[in-house]
Amino acid sequence: MAATSRGNTRAAGARRGGGRAAYAGSYGGGGVSCVPYARQVTGMTISGNGGQWWYNAAGLYARGHRPEVGSILAFPGSGGMRAGHVAVVERIVSPREILIHHANWGGPGIRRGSIMSGVSVIDASPNNDWTQVRVQVGHSAENYGRIYAVQGFIHNRPDAGGAVYASSSRYGLEEVAEAPATRGRSTRR
């Protein structure tokens, strides 16, 4: 949603800085916000503002703390980003860097409501768990903004019975956390 933090991109038609692109798009004069954009490109039907998506996805979509191409990177509401933000993982560059595409992330030379692709996001969390990130700023491939809290990644597949699951087979990483068994119910027959 609306963010006072800086994202990065380049104007449509300009080819510099590693393929970043911004498109005013076919969303009318005011552009588009992050939620309708993420719904359109992923087909996910999650309700609420960007900051609510993590919780509203529970029971519908798998969630985890490792990126996958096509997953949603969910930011909680904070300071100048009261409604939170969602972005779509475009590419995994390394275990600590991804490229995203998203809408309505402001920054130097970036018009609100624009759709941006090829935006670098770095895992800035001390435990390499994607709980904090830095997002590339403006047109520069070398500059990153402040650290943002992240709720995690919402994967475009059904939630498997309340389990939080994430994997990145490309790097041989897998993380599984299952809901505790219900007391008093036996699984043996």
Side-chain angles (χ1 to χ4, degrees):
M1 302 312 282
T4 59
S5 56
R6 295 177 208 129
N8 57 84
T9 185
R10 68 182 170 78
R15 289 281 176 202
R16 65 183 161 115
R20 284 155 223 5
Y23 307 96
S26 58
Y27 296 96
V32 65
S33 67
C34 63
V35 166
Y37 176 75
R39 279 190 194 120
Q40 181 181 17
V41 299
T42 65
M44 291 187 196
T45 55
I46 303 170
S47 64
N49 289 327
Q52 298 167 328
W53 271 39
W54 177 257
Y55 302 104
N56 293 348
L60 298 173
Y61 296 96
R63 301 176 302 158
H65 297 285
R66 294 281 173 225
E68 294 178 9
V69 172
S71 294
I72 297 291
L73 175 59
F75 294 82
S78 66
M81 196 167 64
R82 292 174 311 149
H85 186 71
V86 290
V88 181
V89 177
E90 181 177 331
R91 189 174 129 214
I92 298 171
V93 177
S94 73
R96 295 197 75 164
E97 181 182 8
I98 59 174
L99 298 182
I100 60 168
H101 55 99
H102 59 167
N104 202 31
W105 183 278
I110 302 168
R111 191 178 61 153
R112 288 253 180 246
S114 295
I115 296 168
M116 297 159 283
S117 66
V119 178
S120 176
V121 176
I122 302 292
D123 177 10
S125 60
N127 296 324
N128 190 25
D129 60 6
W130 289 93
T131 55
Q132 299 175 346
V133 299
R134 295 182 78 182
V135 179
Q136 186 180 2
V137 175
H139 299 286
S140 172
E142 293 83 30
N143 295 324
Y144 290 83
R146 70 176 182 87
I147 293 176
Y148 289 93
V150 169
Q151 293 161 308
F153 296 91
I154 304 168
H155 306 297
N156 199 353
R157 63 176 176 273
D159 183 350
V164 175
Y165 173 82
S167 71
S168 178
S169 58
R170 179 175 176 188
Y171 299 107
L173 304 171
E174 186 171 301
E175 176 180 298
V176 178
E178 296 182 14
T182 306
R183 190 178 280 198
R185 294 173 76 186
S186 174
T187 56
R188 293 191 298 179
R189 291 191 175 203

